[in-house]
Amino acid sequence: NAEHIGTQLRSCEEEAFLSSSSLQSRIQRKCVEFKLKDSSREAVDLISSAVEERLKTMVEKLSVIAQHRLEIYREDPKYEPVTDVRSQLKFFEQLDAMERKRRDEQEREMLLRAAKSRSKQEDPEQLRLKRKPK
């Protein structure tokens, strides 16, 4: 009996992840749509297995993301809680003012460049641009 040990394989049958009948009908519709021959049972099993693996991968990635979001940054020495709402609003207002000032300066420079560039024939658009920075 020693030579027969390990020769009998017992394995559980793999269950399809997706419903075989509905997947088969969808594959059939696509085959008809694209004028392909009928699909086999192996194709249904392969697609079901691929979907299962893809979902496993996505769930693993989502788990990593969820763990990352649960990290407590308050224990980090660089973390400094700020409860002064007024100073926070003042900071954002200063950022907005700096951004507005930068945009205004860019527009002014563009207008000055347009006003300085002279062509032989003055068109109304150039005259308007020359007057605007003044």
Side-chain angles (χ1 to χ4, degrees), residues 84-103:
D84 187 13
V85 177
R86 286 185 184 184
S87 65
Q88 290 174 344
L89 287 174
K90 194 174 191 178
F91 174 75
F92 288 125
E93 287 172 358
Q94 289 172 350
L95 280 177
D96 287 342
M98 288 171 50
E99 183 65 27
R100 264 187 265 120
K101 184 178 178 184
R102 187 185 61 78
R103 266 189 267 123

Side-chain angles (χ1 to χ4, degrees), residues 3 16 27 50 56 78 92 97 99 104 129-130:
E3 67 245 9
I27 291 173
K56 280 182 186 177
K78 296 177 186 175
F92 288 125
E99 183 65 27
D104 290 344
L129 289 174
K130 281 184 182 179

